[in-house]
Amino acid sequence: AQSVTQPDIHITVSEGASLELRCNYSYGATPYLFWYVQSPGQGLQLLLKYFSGDTLVQGIKGFEAEFKRSQSSFNLRKPSVHWSDAAEYFCAVGPRNTGGFKTIFGAGTRLFVKA
Amino acid sequence: EAQVTQNPRYLITVTGKKLTVTCSQNMNHEYMSWYRQDPGLGLRQIYYSMNVEVTDKGDVPEGYKVSRKEKRNFPLILESPSPNQTSLYFCASSLTGTSSYNSPLHFGNGTRLTVT
């Protein structure tokens, strides 16, 4: 079955420290891969996406993610976390032949940032 | 400004009282979808629409209806709400439902529904 797993329900990081949020997926073929961020009271905003090519993709707000086919992973990273990064982060996958309409989301990882 | 607009943001209702949550997008997107977000479950798709007059069930369609009479609007209808439909609802749209590099989802700000 198709699924997305985000193993960490919540993570706490000190401001200025590095961050890595994990995402693993189960899919029949290499899907489109996305990371979205949800700030309190807001909808989800796209951080970055991977379709093909370079497996390290850059996104907005200084985030990057690396696609590792052998591990079926698409982990999100940021070298130095800012207090404004506190939010919930969702990894998502979508099939290559149907674009966005069957996007499957992980359960989310809530990021807390310590001052 | 390109956006997806949902109304209302907050809604409290009683069991059995029909309600509609509206969703409108101004980006001329073909594809629209409704999700519900529950703690520990992420986002689950309720219904989606590939284009006007084309709708289909997502993963959790029971108790919901939708319509797509115009490209920009995609209302979510709860004919007889029940407490297990208490949730945070999101409408989303994307340029196309077919394969496209530029089809990430654009989300509304959500509707928090409480059914007592």
Side-chain angles (χ1 to χ4, degrees):
Chain A
Q2 301 160 357
S3 65
V4 177
T5 302
Q6 293 180 245
D8 304 304
I9 297 172
H10 54 80
I11 281 183
T12 301
V13 173
S14 296
E15 191 169 17
S18 63
L19 170 71
E20 182 168 31
L21 301 182
R22 296 182 290 163
C23 173
N24 293 95
Y25 64 89
S26 174
Y27 216 80
T30 302
Y32 291 145
L33 296 156
F34 307 87
W35 274 99
Y36 289 86
V37 60
Q38 183 183 26
S39 299
Q42 303 292 317
L44 280 71
Q45 178 187 19
L46 180 70
L47 274 179
L48 48 78
K49 58 183 184 275
Y50 171 77
F51 288 86
S52 64
D54 192 345
T55 56
L56 184 64
V57 293
Q58 304 298 320
I60 62 171
K61 306 185 182 187
F63 285 91
E64 65 179 28
E66 185 172 14
F67 168 59
K68 292 186 177 179
R69 185 192 307 272
S70 62
Q71 297 176 20
S72 295
S73 70
F74 189 55
N75 294 348
L76 182 71
R77 300 195 293 248
K78 186 169 185 179
S80 177
V81 168
H82 187 262
W83 64 266
S84 60
D85 294 324
E88 189 153 22
Y89 293 80
F90 292 91
C91 182
V93 301
R96 288 181 172 270
N97 61 344
T98 50
F101 82 91
K102 263 311 197 180
T103 304
I104 301 171
F105 289 85
T109 297
R110 185 170 293 278
L111 172 65
F112 297 95
V113 180
K114 285 193 304 186
Chain B
E1 181 190 349
Q3 59 186 2
V4 177
T5 303
Q6 290 178 234
N7 280 297
R9 290 293 307 273
Y10 302 92
L11 181 57
I12 301 174
T13 190
V14 297
T15 299
K17 186 174 181 182
K18 181 180 178 180
L19 66 91
T20 299
V21 184
T22 63
C23 174
S24 179
Q25 51 92 5
N26 62 1
M27 296 168 279
N28 202 35
H29 283 172
E30 290 183 353
Y31 169 77
M32 298 185 75
S33 180
W34 277 101
Y35 294 86
R36 60 177 289 173
Q37 182 181 14
D38 301 289
L41 297 177
L43 278 80
R44 294 178 293 168
Q45 190 176 48
I46 303 171
Y47 270 93
Y48 64 92
S49 169
M50 298 286 281
N51 213 324
V52 176
E53 301 292 1
V54 181
T55 64
D56 209 344
K57 296 177 181 178
D59 300 314
V60 289
E62 294 77 22
Y64 304 95
K65 283 175 56 177
V66 293
S67 69
R68 187 93 182 271
K69 296 189 173 110
E70 309 162 275
K71 199 171 189 178
R72 63 183 293 122
N73 295 323
F74 190 46
L76 179 70
I77 303 156
L78 285 72
E79 294 271 3
S80 182
S82 63
N84 64 11
Q85 292 178 298
T86 292
S87 186
L88 180 58
Y89 291 86
F90 286 100
C91 180
S93 71
S94 70
L95 185 62
T96 174
T98 59
S99 177
S100 168
Y101 184 85
N102 291 312
S103 286
L105 292 163
H106 298 258
F107 284 84
N109 283 336
T111 295
R112 187 167 292 281
L113 171 66
T114 302
V115 184
T116 61

